[in-house]
Amino acid sequence: MAEMGMGKGVTAGKLASNVQKKLTRAQEKVMQKLGKADETRDVAFEEGVINFNKQYTEGSKLQKDLRAYLAAVQTMHESSKNLQECLSDMYEPEWYGKDDLDSIVEDTDVLWTDFHQKLVDNALISMDTYLGQFPDIKSRIAKRDRKLVDYDSARHNHSSTNKGKKGKDGGIKITKPASLLERATPVWAQGILSAHNIAQSNLSRNQAEDELERAQKVFEEINEDLQEELPSLWNSRVGFYISTFQSMSGFEEKFHKEMGKLDQNLYDILVKLEKQDMSGELPRGADPANHTLSPGGPPPIPKSPSKLRPAMPPRPESSPCRDMKPENIINLFDAAAPNISVTSPTQAVSWDTWEADTLTTPAAPTAAAPTAAAPTPAAAAPEETPVVAAAATNGDSEAVEMPPGFLFKVTTMHDYAANDSDELEMKAGDIVLVVAFDNPEEQDEGWLMGMKQEDWIQNKQSSLKGVFPENFTSRL
């Protein structure tokens, strides 16, 4: 046993001394609890210990909750990463913004990682450092309590030893012999034995005094250090809490701000994809029924001239030129011309027949041009005839000046947002003046060229002209 103790730096004598100290402390504690020995108390220090335990408990709970928060951040990071990677995998390469979406997924993952690492470096590590000082102080408080018991025990021992058993005359009281040897001692030797006992008592008093001084010195050293450290540690909690939560708040604010930008970019990409889906611009082979995001919205938008051609929309049932009979085409510029009918090349109409027709056909409103005209090249121009026909149909009191190449009017049935610079943006209810394309070869199926009537009346030649899907409108 002694060898094992020496191997660990502890001798048999040291072990015996420790055991003796424990027994002495236990005995002193029992005597104090029974009220047979007084106990040294320090109320201010005891309050400091209460605050220390409270601070340690609160800090430990904060550390536990912070670790749980970081675990939740890590879990949220993994969940967000898996969700966005799923979206990236499902997002087809032909859809709008595929590369941008992949970049957003990558940036989101980096942002989560950076946020978690900053919380670990500036919050969790600081929390661990803050709590790391508590175990040492706690052990020193326990050591102070033990040294206080040793001091009380030495104080009581010194007090009991110094209680001289003096006689009434002030001399030292000689106790009666207790052992057989003492009883057998001759009378002349009783003095020598008494002197020996007195020497032993003096030695015990000296030892008790030395022991008291030693115990008091050890106790006061550790007590003074703790008296300074405990209040300082208690006051430091405020600054630590401020620093920790300020850091966390700043990191969270920056994280959510950057995450909001990425979310907005992702939202914008999906809005463009929605427009692509509703306009019928999905890749060939895609089932529109599986991609339509807004089934109750306006009809699909045909491909603009700068994009691929869509399926050909149904042609109009009629046009102004087809509906107008040749005999109703008149020259508007020669009021003095005789009432001569203009006949088609495949049909010959006699003067009598034309006269009969004019008797049975209702006359045009007075606001219109004269009822007869000579067949001139101007009368046969397709862009001039609908101008007056539209005016006559609407019953205007005066002929309305129309833009060059005017064909007919349409009313907008659904809102249409322009996607390209050459397109005309329209709202439901707008009246649009349809004009001919400058180059007919540039016209795509399902698209018309025109300008808003209100814009034409106000701005004339400077009005905005653009193409628009025909199936968003209805011909007047």
Side-chain angles (χ1 to χ4, degrees):
M1 184 70 179
E3 292 180 356
M4 292 179 60
M6 293 181 65
K8 295 181 180 180
V10 181
T11 62
K14 184 68 174 176
L15 290 174
S17 176
N18 291 337
V19 172
Q20 182 62 38
K21 285 182 179 179
K22 290 181 179 180
L23 292 175
T24 303
R25 290 167 186 162
Q27 182 180 1
E28 181 67 22
K29 281 289 186 182
V30 171
M31 297 295 290
Q32 290 176 355
K33 289 182 179 180
L34 293 176
K36 295 184 177 182
D38 62 324
E39 180 182 2
T40 302
R41 302 292 298 271
D42 187 342
V43 178
F45 182 83
E46 291 175 358
E47 291 179 354
V49 172
I50 293 175
N51 292 336
F52 170 83
N53 293 330
K54 177 182 178 182
Q55 185 178 1
Y56 194 14
T57 302
E58 292 176 348
S60 300
K61 183 178 185 303
L62 177 59
Q63 183 188 47
K64 179 181 178 181
D65 293 340
L66 181 59
R67 290 182 181 277
Y69 175 75
L70 289 173
V73 170
Q74 185 68 26
T75 302
M76 188 63 188
H77 176 196
E78 295 296 330
S79 300
S80 174
K81 181 179 179 181
N82 294 337
L83 183 63
Q84 291 201 337
E85 286 180 350
C86 179
L87 173 61
S88 179
D89 293 340
M90 295 186 300
Y91 209 92
E92 298 181 7
E94 296 82 2
W95 292 359
Y96 176 86
K98 169 61 175 174
D99 294 339
D100 293 338
L101 183 136
D102 292 340
S103 177
I104 291 175
V105 172
E106 182 179 354
D107 292 344
T108 302
D109 180 46
V110 172
L111 187 61
W112 273 109
T113 302
D114 181 68
F115 175 56
H116 181 269
Q117 189 61 44
K118 285 182 176 178
L119 289 177
V120 172
D121 294 340
N122 296 274
L124 183 60
I125 294 180
S126 298
M127 188 76 229
D128 294 342
T129 304
Y130 169 74
L131 286 180
Q133 56 190 332
F134 282 82
D136 175 67
I137 296 178
K138 184 177 181 180
S139 64
R140 290 163 60 195
I141 292 175
K143 182 177 180 180
R144 177 205 178 263
D145 292 340
R146 294 194 300 270
K147 296 304 178 183
L148 179 60
V149 174
D150 293 343
Y151 169 71
D152 286 341
S153 177
R155 182 168 55 84
H156 295 150
N157 183 39
H158 178 268
S159 177
S160 62
T161 303
N162 283 337
K163 284 182 179 180
K165 297 181 179 180
K166 299 179 180 180
K168 295 181 180 179
D169 57 355
I172 299 176
K173 183 179 180 182
I174 305 299
T175 58
K176 293 181 179 180
S179 63
L180 294 176
L181 179 62
E182 292 175 346
R183 291 178 182 178
T185 302
V187 175
W188 58 267
Q190 291 291 332
I192 299 174
L193 182 61
S194 297
H196 173 74
N197 291 334
I198 293 173
Q200 289 292 331
S201 298
N202 292 334
L203 178 62
S204 299
R205 283 196 295 271
N206 292 335
Q207 290 177 345
E209 185 174 354
D210 292 341
E211 182 181 353
L212 176 61
E213 291 179 356
R214 255 191 333 268
Q216 183 177 2
K217 182 179 179 181
V218 173
F219 168 74
E220 288 180 350
E221 286 179 355
I222 190 172
N223 183 64
E224 289 177 359
D225 292 340
L226 290 175
Q227 291 281 8
E228 295 178 358
E229 291 183 27
L230 289 181
S232 177
L233 179 64
W234 172 251
N235 295 332
S236 68
R237 74 193 192 284
V238 179
F240 173 75
Y241 295 155
I242 293 175
S243 175
T244 300
F245 283 95
Q246 275 185 344
S247 299
M248 292 182 61
S249 299
F251 295 143
E252 286 186 355
E253 189 272 338
K254 183 178 179 181
F255 168 76
H256 290 300
K257 183 178 180 180
E258 296 298 327
M259 185 62 71
K261 293 179 181 179
L262 294 176
D263 289 340
Q264 182 63 48
N265 293 339
L266 177 60
Y267 179 83
D268 293 340
I269 290 176
L270 296 177
V271 168
K272 292 293 183 66
L273 177 63
E274 181 182 17
K275 291 182 179 180
Q276 184 186 36
D277 174 53
M278 294 181 61
S279 63
E281 299 176 11
L282 290 175
R284 293 175 180 265
D287 185 3
N290 295 331
H291 295 279
T292 300
L293 303 181
S294 189
I301 305 173
K303 264 298 194 178
S304 64
S306 60
K307 301 184 179 71
L308 297 175
R309 294 178 179 270
M312 182 178 296
R315 297 183 61 85
E317 297 179 357
S318 61
S319 65
C321 295
R322 291 181 178 177
D323 293 342
M324 186 172 292
K325 296 182 180 180
E327 57 268 21
N328 291 335
I329 300 177
I330 58 177
N331 188 351
L332 306 179
F333 302 98
D334 190 0
N339 295 335
I340 301 175
S341 173
V342 179
T343 61
S344 63
T346 59
Q347 180 182 7
V349 183
S350 65
W351 181 268
D352 296 336
T353 305
W354 174 85
E355 191 172 17
D357 291 340
T358 57
L359 293 176
T360 59
T361 303
T366 57
T371 58
T376 62
E383 60 271 31
E384 296 296 341
T385 300
V387 175
V388 179
T393 303
N394 293 336
D396 296 339
S397 58
E398 297 180 359
V400 179
E401 181 183 359
M402 293 297 177
F406 171 77
L407 297 177
F408 51 89
K409 294 182 180 181
V410 294
T411 180
T412 306
M413 306 301 295
H414 305 279
D415 292 349
Y416 176 70
N419 294 320
D420 293 321
S421 59
D422 62 339
E423 296 181 7
L424 182 65
E425 186 164 336
M426 304 181 300
K427 297 293 184 182
D430 288 346
I431 303 299
V432 181
L433 306 179
V434 181
V435 298
F437 279 78
D438 296 335
N439 183 1
E441 295 180 356
E442 296 179 354
Q443 182 176 6
D444 280 8
E445 292 291 341
W447 289 82
L448 299 174
M449 173 75 74
M451 61 194 69
K452 295 181 181 179
Q453 177 176 274
E454 182 180 0
D455 189 16
W456 165 255
I457 294 175
Q458 294 178 357
N459 302 314
K460 297 299 181 182
Q461 298 298 333
S462 61
S463 57
L464 181 63
K465 180 172 66 173
V467 296
F468 58 90
E470 183 178 7
N471 57 359
F472 270 58
T473 63
S474 177
R475 186 174 306 190
L476 292 176

